[in-house]
Amino acid sequence: MKEKLYKFCSFLSSSKFAMVISAGILILAITGSLIPKADVAVSSSQLASNIVSVLGLDHIYTSPIFITLIALFALNLILCTLKLIIFDINKLSDIDNIDFKDHGRVAIKHAEVISFLKATHFDIKQEENVITASKNSFGKYSVIIIHTGILIVLLGALLGYLFGFKGYINILEGSSDNVAVLSTGEFVPLGFDIKVNRFDVKYYDNTTRPSAFVSDITISKESSDNDSNTSNDNKSLNYILNVNSPLKYEDVSIYQHSYGFYLNKKGARFLFDVEIDNISKKYEVRFNESFKIRDNLFGKITDFAPALAVDDDGKFSTMSEEMVNPAILLEAYSMEGDPVLRSWLLSKQKTSGDFSKDYGFKMTFDKLYGVQYTGLSIKKDPGTAVVYLGFLIISIALILTYLINYTVIFIHLTKDEETGEMIFYKVFKQRKFGRSVPAQMFYKLIDKNEKDI
Amino acid sequence: MNDQIFLQLSGFTYLLAMVFYMSSAIFKSTKIGYVATTLSVTGVLLGTVAFVIRISLLYKVSGSVLESIPIANLYESLQFFALLLMVIYLVSEFATKIKVLGIFSTCVAGILIILISSINAPADVKPLIPVLQSNWLIAHVLLSFIAYVFFTLSAIASIFYFILVSKGRQDPKYILWVTTVSILLTLLLSLIIHLIFKEILFISMYIGLFAVLFTSLLYYGKNIPYYLSSFSKDIDKLDRYIYNFTVLGFIIFTIGGLIFGAIWAENSWGRYWSWDPKETWAFITWLVYAFYLHARLYKRFDRSAVNAIAILGFIVTIFTFLGVNLLLSGLHSYGSN
């Protein structure tokens, strides 16, 4: 029984097992990367899409098979690393197992060898007539450290998988929300309110190429009944959320993720300036709300569009669902209610609101407010710090492994009747083509003495 | 000023250099070798001019130097990759004095530049979209590209290694290098033909050309190792070259490609790893090269088997670099146009 268990363990830690597991992971990963494309292609065929969903091919990376393979990979890595620790740290200096007769021999004065090893800064250990000279001893830990780093990353991923979540939340400009939706459809209460004060898509000048997606948000903690008296609870935090600059708040991170247009006549606000005789006045009105432009002239905004363009015939058409060039329709009428003017104002075409010649006022349309929602993604992942620690360990250890070439030279001091003092030696190098090769100097010493004979 | 004309000139110069590198190897002439190196350096200078013009054009629309490094779309990345490949190749040529690898390096650089015009990669100067506006862009993309270049050079040296060690037509090593060289040459010739006669159907021509090249190399290629036999003394040097480029590539790819990529993804998408096709293939590339490093330690794999993994790694690298963007859609899709 014990023997069987030992055999099983040594199989789990074998390179053969590592290869089988890696091959399995590779095949599943490749299949997974091809499926999204294939999914579109086979969507017409019910059978094919049934096969995809029954086999779980549409969510390979979260499937039990894939996770099991990753777990087995981690197990193999743990056992291999333990093996490395036992072999590299203990076995290598076990000089009893080395048969020097199999290795190099050269006639050389013992004192010369020892002074050479000292001059080239080898760590020397001498037991009777056997010398163990080592250099760059840290190198024997470096591979172990890389493997440990990978395991730490996997541990961090596991922590995130078990205790974290990733959800989404869409909030209309001007409103607020406090519940995120997970991809599984579950709701997660956040414990605080997110209010979107303003959302803007900024464009590079004269193009429809976006330059920034910006959400101006305010986070406020819901005050619970018990401690509503404490002033701290009403603290709120303002933040300008940008792609690539997320907000960390308590234990979650909030990211600018997406956005969209929402035809919301009730909640829409129109922000514009009216200029009469060089005096400008700011307005904020609702849909169909009457406002006074000047004496005996009133206005109403009766329609709006996210992106209005004028074609060659002078006709208007909506060119995009995105707010590339928002526009509002102004209808002006006299005190008696007689229509006076009906015209589209385009935010990017400032002349479209210039009525100074005929009606004595100029209107500059500034913003269409409340008809866009911002999509935020909300994440809680207690494993991220652990993953980063693993990253740091891997990076440093990889570089050190390349730079440091652990080298051990075993030397048996002996004598020969013909040549006098001589040595048997064996050189162990961690890497044949390392960046530094401490053994090279030793080889030079050997070469020199061989020529002397 | 237009950067494309300088880019095309540099591509032409690389291909000219390729002819000279080849002649220098066959006729064992150091003088021809000098001409080849001079041409390569000229090509690099032309490519650098194109690169600098592109930076200045981007600076005009973005107004920030950090956001003006041309590495954000397919046109720019192919151009940059070709330049980086030749720069690093030339440094390695000066350091190791192995000139014969110039044949394949110039060939790959030439292919990349012709590819830009063949697939009509849009060359419009466009400022960065929001998700790419990050200092991680330069760190992540630049280091990934350097790693890809190292993998390319290690594969090139492996192909040459197989040419040197192959014995006779029955040797699998012979088949391996004949196949890889045929693929490279077919790609180059088809792209040139496609550039001149646009209407030819690409796939059928590619298959036809490959068949012709493969058969002729299979039958008449056995003399090539003989012509190059003077390089046989360099096999150990070549092995060291392959190892060093693979290891350096692996380290830079792990840190710059995977780790920096993950940190950036965490910062902008809120997820350090999401099994997006590009990430998946980067992981596959990483696994293949990790396999290379481990295989070197096992006696089960001899030197040829290990170097064959370096070539396999290169094929996977090409797919990660270009295939994923051209064929699969995902979060990294901005690289496809």
Side-chain angles (χ1 to χ4, degrees), chain B residues 18 21 85 99-111 152 155-157 159-160 163 177 180-181 184-185:
Chain B
M18 181 179 94
Y21 274 120
L85 172 65
K99 269 197 176 190
V100 68
L101 300 178
I103 303 173
F104 298 119
S105 306
T106 46
C107 176
V108 173
I111 287 175
T152 309
I156 284 171
I159 295 174
F160 191 65
I163 294 180
W177 77 256
T180 34
V181 171
L184 270 181
L185 283 181

Side-chain angles (χ1 to χ4, degrees), chain A residues 15 26 29-30 33 37 61 66 157 166 204 209-211 213 244 246 255 379 381 387-388 395 402 431 433, chain B residues 126-128 130-131 133 243-244 247 251 259 264 266-272 275 280-281 284 296 298 327:
Chain A
S15 53
L26 270 184
I30 292 173
S33 79
K37 200 84 174 174
Y61 305 113
F66 195 73
K166 170 142 179 167
Y204 287 105
R209 193 174 173 81
S211 68
F213 306 116
N244 275 315
Y255 300 83
K379 195 188 87 156
D381 187 349
V387 170
Y388 281 14
S395 304
Y402 181 63
R431 266 178 314 285
F433 303 132
Chain B
K126 282 185 176 168
L128 295 178
V131 72
Q133 292 166 13
Y243 172 80
N244 270 311
V247 170
I251 294 172
I259 294 182
W264 185 13
E266 171 72 23
N267 207 28
S268 85
W269 299 327
R271 185 169 277 190
Y272 54 82
W275 293 106
T280 305
W281 280 90
I284 294 166
R296 282 191 71 96
Y298 298 125
L327 304 174

Side-chain angles (χ1 to χ4, degrees), chain A residues 15-16 19 22 25-26 29-30 33-34 36-37 61 66 70 73 147 150 153 156-157 166 168 204 209-213 243-246 248 255-257 377 379 381 383-384 387-388 391 394-395 398-399 402 430-435 437 440, chain B residues 61-62 67 126-134 236 239-240 243-244 247-248 250-251 254-255 258-259 262-272 274-275 277 280-281 283-284 286-288 291 294 296-298 300-301 303 319 327-329:
Chain A
S15 53
K16 213 182 258 175
M19 272 188 254
S22 309
I25 292 176
L26 270 184
I30 292 173
S33 79
L34 302 177
K37 200 84 174 174
Y61 305 113
F66 195 73
I70 298 277
F73 175 77
H147 286 177
I150 297 173
V153 170
K166 170 142 179 167
Y168 299 91
Y204 287 105
R209 193 174 173 81
S211 68
F213 306 116
V243 181
N244 275 315
S245 75
K248 290 215 177 354
Y255 300 83
Q256 179 66 52
H257 177 260
S377 71
K379 195 188 87 156
D381 187 349
T384 310
V387 170
Y388 281 14
F391 283 169
I394 294 172
S395 304
L398 263 178
I399 295 169
Y402 181 63
Q430 197 173 21
R431 266 178 314 285
K432 190 176 165 194
F433 303 132
R435 202 69 311 242
V437 189
Q440 229 151 34
Chain B
V61 292
S62 74
E67 288 180 11
K126 282 185 176 168
L128 295 178
I129 55 170
V131 72
L132 295 180
Q133 292 166 13
S134 163
D236 274 341
D239 207 25
R240 172 183 279 262
Y243 172 80
N244 270 311
V247 170
L248 276 175
F250 184 78
I251 294 172
T254 309
I255 298 174
L258 296 181
I259 294 182
I263 297 173
W264 185 13
E266 171 72 23
N267 207 28
S268 85
W269 299 327
R271 185 169 277 190
Y272 54 82
S274 41
W275 293 106
T280 305
W281 280 90
F283 170 70
I284 294 166
W286 185 81
L287 266 190
V288 172
F291 180 47
H294 288 84
R296 282 191 71 96
L297 298 174
Y298 298 125
R300 201 182 300 162
F301 295 91
R303 198 145 71 157
F319 193 78
L327 304 174
L328 308 174
S329 63

Side-chain angles (χ1 to χ4, degrees), chain A residues 42-181:
Chain A
V42 299
S43 60
S44 55
S45 151
Q46 191 59 42
L47 182 67
S49 60
N50 281 349
I51 292 173
V52 165
S53 70
V54 165
L55 294 179
L57 294 176
D58 44 353
H59 48 82
I60 270 189
Y61 305 113
T62 50
S63 66
I65 298 183
F66 195 73
I67 291 172
T68 310
L69 280 176
I70 298 277
L72 286 174
F73 175 77
L75 178 68
N76 176 261
L77 200 58
I78 292 170
L79 293 174
C80 283
T81 310
L82 285 177
K83 248 164 80 175
L84 273 179
I85 292 172
I86 294 163
F87 175 77
D88 273 11
I89 297 180
N90 299 327
K91 281 278 163 61
L92 203 66
S93 50
D94 192 1
I95 46 178
D96 296 338
N97 297 331
I98 294 169
D99 186 2
F100 286 106
K101 296 275 180 332
D102 290 348
H103 302 290
R105 51 174 288 177
V106 70
I108 187 171
K109 288 267 178 293
H110 293 167
E112 192 184 344
V113 176
I114 293 166
S115 69
F116 163 82
L117 291 173
K118 276 181 183 158
T120 47
H121 307 293
F122 273 87
D123 289 329
I124 304 168
K125 272 186 205 151
Q126 187 164 5
E127 273 176 48
E128 294 177 20
N129 52 0
V130 175
I131 296 177
T132 312
S134 57
K135 200 161 183 179
N136 296 344
S137 296
F138 176 75
K140 66 182 162 190
Y141 307 107
S142 60
V143 171
I144 295 169
I145 296 172
I146 296 175
H147 286 177
T148 311
I150 297 173
L151 286 168
I152 291 174
V153 170
L154 289 175
L155 177 72
L158 181 70
L159 287 176
Y161 180 76
L162 293 178
F163 305 113
F165 69 83
K166 170 142 179 167
Y168 299 91
I169 189 166
N170 288 340
I171 308 174
L172 200 64
E173 199 173 34
S175 53
S176 63
D177 204 342
N178 55 18
V179 178
V181 186

